[in-house]
DNA sequence: AATGAATGAGGATTCATTCAT
DNA sequence: GATGAATGAATCCTCATTCAT
C-alpha cells in the first residue's frame, strides 16, 4: 500500500520479527553461517529491508543476543520477585535459567553462537559480560547469608556449571534435559552450602 | 634408498603442519570462518596442497579436533599413570584438563569452535561424544570408591563444570586462568565427596 | 503503478539474454568449456546475476537447449502450416531444419555440444529425446502415404542423415552449406519414395 | 627397480596404455572433461609420466583420436582386401564402420568427443578431415561403377548417414544397435543404386 | 624412467550490501 | 516504507603442469 497512510510504527515490529527470525534460523542451522536473506525471508521481508533496519548483519546478531538476554533477565526478575528467602532466590535463578523459554533448543544453540560471536565482536562480548556479571552478582547476593566470604566463588562455580550445561545441551541429543540440568545445579548448590 | 627417489614422506609432515595451523588460526580468529588459504599460508604451503591432503576444509577441522582430543587424552593418560589412589586419579584428570598445553588460549578457542562444528558435522559430533564419554567414564571410575552410586552423577557434574570453565576461558580476558579454573573444579570435587 | 515500485520484470529479459549469450559463446568457443563469467559478460551482466537467475551453470545450458529446440519446432510448425500435401510436409521439415536461423554456425555448434551434454545431464538427454521423437513422428506421418509400413524406418533414416549433416556442418569449413545439406536430404527422401 | 637395467622400449608401451585409457575414460565419462590424473591412473602410472610422454593433455587426445582412426582404417582395409566386386567393397566399408570394435560404446562416445575437440584443436580437425576424405574416396570409388557421376554425392550421403548414426548411438539407450545401423546404411545404399 | 610434491591460474558459487524506483 | 535488481569480493575447490629427486 504505497499511497495510503504512512505505516506508522512498523520499525519496532520489523525489528522484532527479524530478531526472532535470527534466533530461529541460528538455532535451526546450528551455526552463525546464516544468511541475511534466510533470516529476512523467515521474517517475511526482503533482505534489503533487514539492512535498512539494522545496517549490518552483526547488528542483527547483537540485537538477537540482547533479546535473549532480556528473556533471561525477565525470567529471573519474575522468579526473584516471588522469592522470600535467600534459598528461594538461588532457586529462582536456577529455575529461570532452565525455564522452557530459555532452554529451548534454538535459544540454547543461539547462546553457543553468541559465545562465538563474542570472540570477535566487542558489542557481543560486552553483552555477554553483562550477563555473566548479573548472574554472578545475583547468585553471590543470594548465597551470601549461607556462605559468607565464599559466596562469590560459589556463584562463579554455579555460573560456570550453568554455562557448561548449556553448551552440552546444544549438542543434538547427548545433552541433559532441562529438569536434569536444573537438578544438577541444585545439587551443586546444596553441597556448596554443606547440606549434601 | 635408491638415488632417484622423489622426495618422500611429506604427507604426515604437511598434515601435521596443517592441523597445527588450523588450531592456531581458529584460535587467533576466534571463529571457524577461517579460510583454507589462511591456514595453508600459516602452514607454509599453498591452499591447493592443503586440499590435496585433506580433500575438504571440514576434514581439516575434524583432523584438528582429533588432534586436540589426542592432546587431552595423552595428558590425561600420562597423569593417570602416576596416580596411585582414586583421589589422585581425579586430580590427574583435572590437572590434565587445565594443563598449559590444553588450556592454551588458541586451544580453548578451538574447543569452542568445535562445539559449533559439532552442531552440524556428524564426524565432529562423534568426536565430541568420544571426549565426553571418556571424560565421564574416567571420572566415574575414579569417583566410585568415594561416591558409590552417585559417582556417575558426580562425574557428569564435574564434566559440565569443566566445559563451562573452558567456554568462559575462551572469552578474551574475563575468564578464569588455568589455576583458578582447576581450583574451582577441585573444590567442587571435594564438596562432592563431602569434605568441604 | 505506484511511484515507488522497484524496477520490475527484469527476469525474463535477463534469462533471455543469458540464453542467447550461452548459444553465442558456446558456438564461438566450440565447446561447453565456457565460463559463466564469459556468458554473463556477453549478456551484459555480472556472473552473480546469472547465478541468481539460473542457480547453476547446467541449468543455463539446458535452458539454451530448450530455446534452440523451440526455434526448431517453431520453424517446423510454421512450415507445416503452409504444407498441403504429404510431400510438402516432408519438405517443410527439411526446409525448417536447414533454415538460416537453425543452421547458423553457432546454433549448429551448440547442437553438437548439447549432444555431449546429453551424455551426462539427464535433463539434456530428455530434451534431445523429445527432439528426436518429434522429428521421427512428424516425418513418419508425412511419409506414411507414400511408404506405408516403411515410413518409420524411412523417417529414422532421414533423421539420422539430418543429424549427420549437422555434425559435419559444425566442423569449421569442410562441412556442407545449408542448401547442399537440404538437397542431400531431399535426394535421400526421393529415393526412399522410389522416384530416384 | 632403479638400479637394474634401464627399461628399454617402455615408451611405446606407456603411450599405448595412455591412449587406450584415454578412450576408456572419455567413453566412461561421456565427456572430454576427463582429468589427466584419471587417465594416468587408469593406465597405471602417474600424471607426471603422462606429461612426460605427451607434453600436453591435448596431444593425448589427438593420439587417442589417431588410434581410433587407425582402428577404423585397419578394419576397412581388412574388409576391402576380401572384397571382389564394387558392391562388396561398399559393403566392406559399412561392415567395418559398424564392426564390434568400432561401434563399442566408449569408442562411439570418443568419436563424439573428437568432433568437439576438432572444433578448436587444428590437429584434431585435420585428423577428422583425413577420416572424412578417406571414407568419401573409398565409397566414391566403390560406388562409381553403379552411379557414375552421382558417386561422389552418394558417398557423401552415406558418410553423413554413418556419422549421424554414430552420434545417435552415443546417446545412452535410445540409439540404434550396430546391426540396425548397418542395415540402415545398406538400405540407403541400395536405394541409391536404384534397387529399392 | 618415474613419481611424489607442489603450485598458479582459474572457475563455480555465495552473500552482504547498495541502489533506483 | 519496501523491494527487485545488481554486483564486488570472497571462498572452496580443481587441475594441468613443473620440478627435484
Amino acid at each position: 500500500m504505497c499511497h495510503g497512510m504512512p505505516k506508522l510504527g512498523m520499525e519496532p515490529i520489523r525489528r522484532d520479527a527479524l530478531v526472532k527470525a535470527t534466533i530461529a534460523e541460528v538455532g535451526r542451522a546450528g551455526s552463525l553461517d546464516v544468511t541475511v536473506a534466510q533470516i529476512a525471508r523467515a521474517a517475511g521481508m526482503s533482505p534489503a529491508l533487514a539492512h535498512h533496519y539494522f545496517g549490518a548483519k552483526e547488528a542483527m546478531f547483537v540485537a538477537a543476543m540482547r533479546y535473549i538476554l532480556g528473556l533471561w533477565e525477565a525470567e529471573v526478575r519474575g522468579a526473584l520477585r516471588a522469592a522470600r528467602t535467600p534459598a528461594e532466590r538461588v532457586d529462582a535463578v536456577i529455575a529461570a535459567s532452565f525455564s522452557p523459554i530459555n532452554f529451548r533448543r534454538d535459544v540454547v544453540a543461539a547462546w553457543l553462537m553468541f559465545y562465538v560471536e563474542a570472540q570477535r565482536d566487542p558489542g557481543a562480548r560486552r553483552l555477554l559480560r553483562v550477563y555473566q556479571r548479573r548472574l554472578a552478582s545475583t547468585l553471590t547476593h543470594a548465597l551470601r547469608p549461607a556462605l559468607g566470604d565464599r559466596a562469590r566463588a560459589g556463584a562463579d562455580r554455579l555460573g560456570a556449571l550453568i554455562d557448561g550445561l548449556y553448551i552440552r545441551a546444544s549438542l543434538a541429543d547427548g545433552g541433559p534435559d532441562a529438569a536434569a540440568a536444573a537438578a544438577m545445579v541444585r545439587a551443586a548448590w546444596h553441597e556448596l552450602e554443606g547440606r549434601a
Side-chain angles (χ1 to χ4, degrees), chain A:
Chain A
M1 222 176 313
C2 65
H3 40 244
M5 316 266 283
K7 273 181 287 185
L8 286 180
M10 282 313 282
E11 171 149 0
I13 296 173
R14 295 296 199 186
R15 292 180 76 100
D16 192 58
L18 283 167
V19 157
K20 281 171 179 156
T22 300
I23 294 165
E25 291 300 303
V26 164
R28 204 165 58 80
S31 147
L32 284 173
D33 288 343
V34 170
T35 70
V36 172
Q38 267 169 53
I39 297 172
R41 204 170 318 124
M45 69 195 85
S46 74
L49 193 53
H51 268 274
H52 177 65
Y53 282 125
F54 282 101
K57 194 190 186 182
E58 284 164 11
M60 262 169 59
F61 282 134
V62 171
M65 211 169 150
R66 199 185 306 276
Y67 176 79
I68 284 188
L69 244 55
L71 282 186
W72 177 82
E73 282 208 306
E75 199 94 354
V76 168
R77 236 195 313 269
L80 284 178
R81 204 166 297 132
R84 294 295 160 238
T85 66
E88 280 176 9
R89 295 177 66 84
V90 175
D91 202 73
V93 173
I94 296 172
S97 292
F98 297 99
S99 76
I101 207 171
N102 280 321
F103 210 63
R104 251 171 42 207
R105 175 146 179 48
D106 59 349
V107 172
V108 166
W111 269 105
L112 177 56
M113 298 312 144
F114 293 146
Y115 262 96
V116 173
E117 184 73 353
Q119 303 281 320
R120 293 181 308 171
D121 186 328
R125 186 149 59 241
R126 215 171 304 128
L127 272 179
L128 217 42
R129 291 265 169 68
V130 167
Y131 152 75
Q132 289 185 338
R133 212 151 35 218
R134 209 154 299 183
L135 174 59
S137 80
T138 309
L139 280 176
T140 303
H141 192 65
L143 292 170
R144 180 87 61 199
L147 297 184
D149 282 353
R150 292 167 46 239
R152 177 59 203 247
D156 283 344
R157 183 123 49 93
L158 293 188
L161 181 56
I162 290 174
D163 283 6
L165 289 166
Y166 260 76
I167 205 184
R168 290 190 161 202
S170 75
L171 276 192
D173 32 87
D177 62 14
M184 205 173 274
V185 182
R186 284 198 184 92
W189 161 42
H190 293 152
E191 274 161 22
L192 259 177
E193 302 201 348
R195 337 178 216 154

